[in-house]
Amino acid sequence: RKSKNKGSKMGDSELYDKYKNYRKKLRTLIKAAKHMFYSKKFDNCHGNSKKTWELINELRGKSISKSKSSFLVNGELVKDRRVIANEFNKYFASVAHDLNKNALRPENLPIS
C-alpha cells in the first residue's frame, strides 16, 4: 500500500473510513455465506464418499469435465472416445513409420 490514509487524497477521510468498514463487513458476510453454503453441501454428502470427494475436487478446482470431446476424422465429426483414440494411435504410428522409412534411405545415411 502506498499510503495509510487514502482518504486524505480523496479529500474526505471520513467517507474512505466508511468505505473500508463496509468493505470489511462485506468480506465477512461473503466468507460466512460460503461457509454455510459448503457446510450444507457436505451435510448432503454425509455417508457418501464418492459425492464427498467430488465436492472436495470441485472446491479445489479439479472437477471432471462433463463435455464430450469431438474431432474431425476424414471430414466427419467423431465423438466416440474409442474411435478418437484409435485415430490418434494410427496417426502417431504412421509418423514414426514415416520417420524411420526416411531415415533409412541411402541418401540420408551418413558417409563413413
Side-chain angles (χ1 to χ4, degrees):
R1 293 183 174 153
K2 294 179 183 177
S3 170
K4 281 188 175 182
N5 189 359
K6 291 185 179 184
S8 61
K9 282 186 175 180
M10 293 172 40
D12 193 351
S13 63
E14 185 180 329
L15 183 62
Y16 185 71
D17 288 340
K18 284 183 180 183
Y19 160 75
K20 285 194 314 186
N21 287 333
Y22 281 120
R23 180 180 63 187
K24 185 177 177 181
K25 287 178 185 180
L26 179 62
R27 285 183 182 160
T28 304
L29 285 172
I30 289 172
K31 187 175 180 180
K34 282 183 180 180
H35 180 76
M36 284 180 13
F37 175 78
Y38 285 110
S39 290
K40 287 179 184 178
K41 284 192 124 186
F42 275 108
D43 286 344
N44 291 338
C45 296
H46 183 72
N48 187 337
S49 59
K50 181 179 179 182
K51 285 190 176 187
T52 301
W53 278 106
E54 285 175 356
L55 181 57
I56 290 169
N57 286 328
E58 177 185 322
L59 288 170
R60 293 178 58 222
K62 300 245 178 189
S63 58
I64 298 172
S65 174
K66 302 286 184 194
S67 65
K68 288 203 165 218
S69 298
S70 60
F71 289 91
L72 278 178
V73 177
N74 299 326
E76 129 182 20
L77 190 64
V78 177
K79 292 186 179 185
D80 183 15
R81 294 171 61 185
R82 186 170 307 230
V83 173
I84 292 169
N86 286 335
E87 291 299 322
F88 270 105
N89 188 33
K90 283 182 201 174
Y91 171 76
F92 286 109
S94 70
V95 168
H97 178 265
D98 292 345
L99 286 173
N100 287 334
K101 184 172 72 172
N102 289 334
L104 296 177
R105 286 189 176 161
E107 63 269 11
N108 293 336
L109 294 176
I111 301 174
S112 26

